[in-house]
Amino acid sequence: TTQPTPMASTESGTPQSWHTTVIQVDGIKTETYDRISNRRTCPAIVVVPGNPGMIGFYFEFIDCLFKKLNGNFSIYGVGHAGHGVPGGNGDKIFTLEEQIRHKERFVEERIAPNHDKIILVSHSVGSYICLKLIKRRKDLGFVQLVALFPTFRHLKMGIQGPVKFAILPYLRQTASAAVHYIPQFLINWAFKMNRDGSVESVQKVLNTNRDYYVVMNCLSMAHEESETILEMDEEIAGSIEENIDIIFFLYGPTDKYAPRSFYDHLKEKFPAANAFLAEENILHAFCVKQSKEVAHQIYEWFHRHHIPLPNEESK
């Protein structure tokens, strides 16, 4: 398989066009999006999404973070197995455990051979995946985990409205087929009526991934999350305890998936945890239109806590 290629960039650090690279990870066709540093040696940041896990949702976030950090880090975004690449993985439905293994193989094969320091930036259920990963693979060079609006306990509490029914085993097929076959003019109309400031890339990702098996993977994963992620399990608790000094948690005061009460619970169980509350207006799905604000929060953490930066001579 070929290595991902860096994006062509303008002087401002913003790509001339957003597109993903499809690679093979453990035999699975996977969408990636990378911003590669010009430095010869530098730490790597790996962005692991929530659900839906199409990495295209994080284009603007990855770009903002790359620019905020002055190109000192190479940033690699990796989509979930089966999320994206319509038709690329047949009718395979991936389990949550297979998603963890998928990220492990991505880091092991693609990142660790070229970077001795690796920072994970995870969103939502991506934080569950990454907490498991740093517990199981201490040998891969992880030096930091940034868990954005993490869902590693009682995930079902945040699932709202129609989604709660769409993820049920006997309704998933119907919901997936409905999304797959909905006429394009209705999609265009819905986007035209949407005036919430969503970035164009988000609309494009939604429009290009109306594939039956992509939707089925998203819904099946959501259902498994809701049935599996209940009380904080022993592996997650052990991971936090062992890595307490290298994890930053960001919770949302109004976030139904990672609310203030979950922040309070974490601080009670782990008083030394580096846990923070976002501004009240920051949404769980921050990547839709608040990428700049969250990228700035990470930038502030990195500088305040002296996250390892490349030396000047490594340019």
Side-chain angles (χ1 to χ4, degrees):
T1 57
T2 59
Q3 288 288 338
T5 54
M7 296 289 293
S9 300
T10 63
E11 290 183 0
S12 65
T14 301
Q16 295 166 352
S17 62
W18 276 324
H19 66 267
T20 57
T21 300
V22 177
I23 64 171
Q24 293 273 353
V25 177
D26 210 19
I28 300 164
K29 289 185 178 179
T30 304
E31 281 191 325
T32 62
Y33 176 69
D34 311 325
R35 297 301 307 275
I36 307 301
S37 175
N38 290 326
R39 293 175 177 270
R40 291 196 302 273
T41 59
C42 67
I45 294 175
V46 177
V47 175
V48 178
N51 183 12
M54 299 79 157
I55 200 59
F57 286 132
Y58 299 83
F59 282 155
E60 186 181 36
F61 172 66
I62 290 171
D63 287 351
C64 289
L65 190 58
F66 184 79
K67 187 176 180 182
K68 266 289 180 185
L69 298 173
N70 296 318
N72 287 325
F73 298 77
S74 286
I75 304 181
Y76 304 87
V78 56
H80 289 321
H83 297 212
V85 198
N89 292 298
D91 60 359
K92 169 69 175 173
I93 305 299
F94 295 91
T95 66
L96 192 52
E97 185 60 37
E98 286 173 323
Q99 297 291 358
I100 298 169
R101 174 63 176 167
H102 177 254
K103 306 311 172 294
E104 178 185 345
R105 294 295 290 169
F106 175 76
V107 173
E108 185 177 48
E109 295 176 357
R110 298 267 167 181
I111 311 301
N114 303 311
H115 300 273
D116 58 3
K117 293 184 175 67
I118 301 171
I119 297 168
L120 297 172
V121 174
S122 59
H123 177 219
S124 193
V125 73
S127 298
Y128 175 89
I129 291 170
C130 289
L131 282 166
K132 298 272 184 178
L133 184 54
I134 64 174
K135 171 72 172 172
R136 298 177 187 181
R137 295 300 305 269
K138 299 179 177 66
D139 59 308
L140 288 179
F142 298 121
V143 297
Q144 204 75 38
L145 167 59
V146 177
L148 304 171
F149 310 103
T151 54
F152 52 79
R153 61 185 295 264
H154 292 302
L155 183 143
K156 184 182 286 188
M157 290 174 57
I159 301 176
Q160 302 293 308
V163 177
K164 189 177 295 186
F165 298 99
I167 66 174
L168 294 174
Y170 50 87
L171 290 178
R172 284 200 294 267
Q173 292 87 345
T174 302
S176 299
V179 173
H180 182 90
Y181 290 110
I182 189 170
Q184 184 62 49
F185 77 88
L186 288 178
I187 297 291
N188 295 339
W189 176 82
F191 286 152
K192 186 176 180 180
M193 295 300 292
N194 173 34
R195 305 192 182 280
D196 67 353
S198 301
V199 295
E200 184 179 347
S201 65
V202 170
Q203 296 181 356
K204 183 178 180 181
V205 171
L206 289 171
N207 199 35
T208 56
N209 283 284
R210 294 189 298 110
D211 173 80
Y212 179 84
Y213 287 107
V214 170
V215 179
M216 273 291 288
N217 265 290
C218 295
L219 295 179
S220 297
M221 182 175 169
H223 181 259
E224 185 180 358
E225 292 165 25
S226 70
E227 296 298 316
T228 303
I229 303 176
L230 305 171
E231 285 294 339
M232 186 187 303
D233 68 42
E234 291 184 8
E235 189 175 24
I236 292 289
S239 181
I240 295 172
E241 187 171 14
E242 292 171 14
N243 298 287
I244 195 75
D245 293 332
I246 67 167
I247 306 175
F248 291 99
F249 299 93
L250 183 66
Y251 286 86
T254 59
D255 184 354
K256 292 181 174 62
Y257 289 95
R260 172 66 187 256
S261 61
F262 285 15
Y263 163 87
D264 293 336
H265 177 270
L266 181 73
K267 290 296 287 183
E268 182 180 344
K269 189 173 179 66
F270 302 101
N274 295 303
F276 305 88
L277 289 168
E279 296 294 328
E280 286 198 12
N281 67 315
I282 303 296
L283 304 174
H284 183 82
F286 70 89
C287 55
V288 173
K289 56 179 179 177
Q290 296 167 316
S291 292
K292 291 180 181 178
E293 292 87 339
V294 175
H296 181 75
Q297 177 72 74
I298 296 172
Y299 164 82
E300 290 290 330
W301 284 341
F302 279 21
H303 281 266
R304 192 182 312 148
H305 296 275
H306 308 291
I307 303 304
L309 290 165
N311 295 323
E312 286 298 314
E313 60 266 23
S314 66
K315 286 185 178 178

